[in-house]
Amino acid sequence: MIDFYTWTTPNGRKVSILLEELGVPYRAHAVNIGKDEQFAPDFLAIAPNNKIPAIRDDETGQTLMESGAIMLYLARKHGRFLEEGGEEWRVVEWLMWQMAGFGPILGQVHHFHFYNAGTSDYAEARFMGEAGRLYKVLNDRLTGRDFIAGTGQGAYSIADMAIWPWAARYERQDVDLHDFPAVLAWYRRLAERPAVQAGYHVPIRGEDVPMP
């Protein structure tokens, strides 16, 4: 059994989607970051950086924070959604792309453009411009492919699961996915998956999955 500590954010949804896709038993624990519950001592013992998501694997005793590390651990443990050989590293490459670029940049767009518009014209222009560049990178990668990594048309992997929840906030980013047709087709393809739908509503059911 996996104890899963999370909230309704893209980083939390990455892991809940993977857990749903794997079909493994887990208990979801809501950590309301709007009420600073991530600073509670019992959560700190699992996640020293005071950020969701985090897990405890009852079977192994392993605790982990950082969504990318959790996804790699679960994919490797269950032998799914992580390609083998050279393509395994392609999955890791795009997972790191999300962790280092797509997620952090879009997070800054949310902060400066969605929540605090007008506070800093420079910051809005800087991060909105970089967001557009990253969406183009993603669109180029997905052109002629169904999924991010894998051979041929690609194979559904943790790279897709990591990137998709951030793209799901395209409205907060003032991004029109129709400007990125390969991303749009990929986004819709994933949004139709039952596990993606289920994982999106963990730990509490919120708004419906956005559909461009």
Side-chain angles (χ1 to χ4, degrees):
M1 177 71 73
I2 299 291
D3 282 294
F4 174 45
Y5 302 82
T6 189
W7 193 239
T8 56
T9 70
N11 284 335
R13 285 170 172 155
K14 294 189 300 192
V15 177
S16 55
I17 288 170
L18 174 56
L19 286 166
E20 290 289 335
E21 291 283 8
L22 288 170
V24 298
Y26 71 94
R27 292 180 290 253
H29 305 273
V31 180
N32 190 334
I33 60 177
K35 296 181 178 179
D36 290 340
E37 291 178 0
Q38 70 272 31
F39 297 103
D42 57 342
F43 182 67
L44 176 64
I46 301 167
N49 198 33
N50 299 115
K51 291 184 180 294
I52 61 94
I55 65 166
R56 176 188 284 117
D57 186 340
D58 290 347
E59 182 180 352
T60 65
Q62 179 74 57
T63 61
L64 280 173
M65 62 178 187
E66 292 296 330
S67 58
I70 295 168
M71 296 183 86
L72 285 167
Y73 171 79
L74 291 172
R76 190 175 294 278
K77 178 182 178 182
H78 295 283
R80 297 181 64 195
F81 304 119
L82 184 61
E83 295 290 287
E84 297 180 353
E87 286 303 308
E88 176 183 0
W89 289 108
R90 195 64 64 207
V91 173
V92 172
E93 174 184 60
W94 283 95
L95 175 64
M96 294 302 105
W97 178 84
Q98 184 278 307
M99 297 289 295
F102 199 62
I105 291 298
L106 295 182
Q108 294 302 318
V109 171
H110 298 166
H111 180 79
F112 286 105
H113 181 70
F114 183 75
Y115 290 109
N116 297 285
T119 301
S120 172
D121 292 341
Y122 168 79
E124 284 192 66
R126 166 75 178 88
F127 293 115
M128 289 289 287
E130 182 65 1
R133 185 190 72 81
L134 290 167
Y135 268 104
K136 183 180 184 306
V137 170
L138 183 59
N139 194 73
D140 290 346
R141 175 61 182 174
L142 284 166
T143 298
R145 304 177 62 88
D146 289 339
F147 302 109
I148 298 292
T151 57
Q153 291 295 309
Y156 183 49
S157 73
I158 58 173
D160 299 280
M161 300 177 214
I163 295 167
W164 185 90
W166 284 98
R169 290 196 165 172
Y170 60 88
E171 292 175 314
R172 297 189 185 192
Q173 302 150 16
D174 274 346
V175 168
D176 184 351
L177 292 186
H178 292 85
D179 293 336
F180 306 96
V183 175
L184 176 63
W186 164 85
Y187 179 90
R188 289 174 171 169
R189 190 176 301 118
L190 266 64
E192 293 171 354
R193 296 180 68 92
V196 171
Q197 292 276 342
Y200 189 85
H201 295 295
V202 175
I204 59 173
R205 186 173 182 86
E207 73 277 8
D208 290 337
V209 174
M211 288 300 294

